[in-house]
Amino acid sequence: MSGEWNAAFHMADVRDKRITRRRAVAVGELHAGPVAYPLIVERRLPKGDALVMAEIAGLQGAKMASMLMPLCHPLPLELVQVFCAPAPERQAIRVWCECASEARTGVEMEALAGVNAALLTLYDLSKPVEPALRIEGIRLLFKEGGKRGVWLHPDGMDDAERTRFKPRAPRDLGGARCAVITLSDRASDGTYEDVSGPTLVTGLQKMGGDVVTAEVLPDGIEPLASRLQALAGEGVRLCLCTGGTGLGPRDLTPEALRSLNVRPVHGLAQMVRALSAQHTPMAWLSRAEVVQLGNMLVFALPGSPKAAAQCLDILAPVVGHALAMVDGGGHS
């Protein structure tokens, strides 16, 4: 057989994405007009209660999103909620659909499918009394989860929507003093350019951290151990070390951390390995460590730029909260 084996369309390959908690809320309106609007609100339409039926249709629409859109991934939805509310100033019915799942891809299409199904049902039940109906304003309000965290639509939300749905952006670093240390004999002697360190610097700055130093040190217990003690004494709150966590004879970053009077944070280290394993099974070979040195949290992360960036994405939802706990804060 000759020629390329290329499909005209394909589903996005999400196998290497990490499973995270995903949530999305979509909204839209049916503009009913002076005749149909009071009948909808008073539940007096000839075909029956349109508001109740719209909520049921929205639930069904969200669950059937992958059947309606050929390239949409089928997802195990863990939450679907549909809300209908009158907007008397516009003689409209406003509809929201909230969907949530733990998955490798987002649930925004499910939320949008739910809103569309609810609005079309309102349209269908209202058209016998008013054919001049209008569906408009369908959009995503926000989505959560994945490496981008929270995305808010530029058109924004009103106060009632924020109160109801509470978009949950992770706590940022709030200007905490941060340091990045790359551990590599070859990067230290100039054999190759360090890429992992700058990747972590950019990530920390996006998280609201104040990166006061980014350094390259040779592998080994020293001078890393001495440098960490100095950074803790200078008020640095978060230090990300990249490199030296493998099984090679010069991979001694965990040993450098243990040589100090540190408090291990086993849960975060295990989280890094377990969630990194969703990207590659080689993550189980990592000796990633997390420790507390005084008021400074130190993370020993893998040395490759890709792995370092993935680990930072994994830590982003919790590291700001972890620093607050070091300061004596609670879990609120």
Side-chain angles (χ1 to χ4, degrees), residues 15-320:
R15 290 174 296 175
D16 290 335
K17 285 190 173 184
R18 185 166 50 86
I19 296 172
T20 64
R21 289 190 173 189
R22 313 273 185 159
R23 186 167 70 117
V25 177
V27 67
E29 289 189 354
L30 174 82
H31 288 250
V35 176
Y37 175 77
L39 297 178
I40 297 171
V41 173
E42 296 165 11
R43 304 173 192 267
R44 292 192 295 110
L45 285 172
K47 289 186 178 181
D49 189 336
L51 295 174
V52 170
M53 187 56 67
E55 292 184 1
I56 295 171
L59 291 166
Q60 195 70 3
K63 293 191 291 183
M64 295 183 67
S66 64
M67 298 179 66
L68 298 170
M69 291 163 279
L71 303 184
C72 183
H73 292 81
L75 298 179
L77 292 176
E78 295 162 356
L79 169 73
V80 181
Q81 293 191 88
V82 180
F83 310 93
C84 298
E89 68 280 8
R90 297 187 295 279
Q91 295 180 326
I93 304 298
R94 192 165 176 84
V95 177
W96 299 266
C97 180
E98 177 183 16
C99 295
S101 181
E102 289 198 12
R104 286 185 165 87
T105 188
V107 290
E108 56 265 38
M109 298 312 299
E110 286 73 15
L112 288 163
V115 164
N116 275 280
L119 289 171
L120 286 171
T121 298
L122 286 171
Y123 193 113
D124 179 52
L125 298 184
S126 303
K127 63 182 171 57
V129 300
E130 175 56 86
L133 301 165
R134 188 171 76 254
I135 291 174
E136 63 181 35
I138 298 173
R139 64 182 174 94
L140 193 65
L141 275 183
F142 70 90
K143 62 178 180 176
E144 297 173 347
K147 64 186 299 182
R148 293 179 178 85
V150 177
W151 178 88
L152 302 173
H153 194 284
D155 289 349
M157 290 181 282
D158 61 31
D159 291 340
E161 288 169 336
R162 288 186 177 276
T163 299
R164 175 185 284 274
F165 297 113
K166 299 180 176 66
R168 293 185 288 269
R171 188 193 299 233
D172 68 17
L173 296 178
R177 289 165 57 83
C178 302
V180 172
I181 300 178
T182 299
L183 285 308
S184 169
D185 288 333
R186 290 184 296 164
S188 176
D189 66 18
T191 301
Y192 68 75
E193 181 181 0
D194 173 35
V195 178
S196 298
T199 298
L200 292 178
V201 169
T202 300
L204 286 171
Q205 290 170 340
K206 289 180 179 178
M207 292 164 56
D210 176 18
V211 181
V212 297
T213 184
E215 309 170 13
V216 180
L217 299 179
D219 287 306
I221 293 176
E222 288 291 346
L224 175 58
S226 298
R227 189 67 185 116
L228 290 174
Q229 285 183 316
L231 291 172
E234 294 166 9
V236 170
R237 302 299 317 285
L238 177 63
C239 181
L240 302 184
C241 301
T242 173
T245 61
L247 301 177
R250 290 283 291 160
D251 290 331
L252 297 172
T253 301
E255 283 74 17
L257 270 57
R258 293 176 200 145
S259 72
L260 302 169
N261 183 24
V262 294
R263 187 182 190 187
V265 188
H266 298 302
L268 286 177
Q270 183 64 5
M271 182 182 77
V272 167
R273 272 188 292 275
L275 297 184
S276 295
Q278 293 183 19
H279 296 294
T280 170
M282 299 302 154
W284 292 115
L285 299 177
S286 169
R287 297 191 303 131
E289 292 273 356
V290 183
V291 301
Q292 181 182 347
L293 177 59
N295 287 327
M296 181 174 72
L297 288 178
V298 184
F299 293 78
L301 304 178
S304 81
K306 183 177 180 180
Q310 289 171 344
C311 288
L312 194 57
D313 288 337
I314 289 167
L315 294 168
V318 298
V319 69

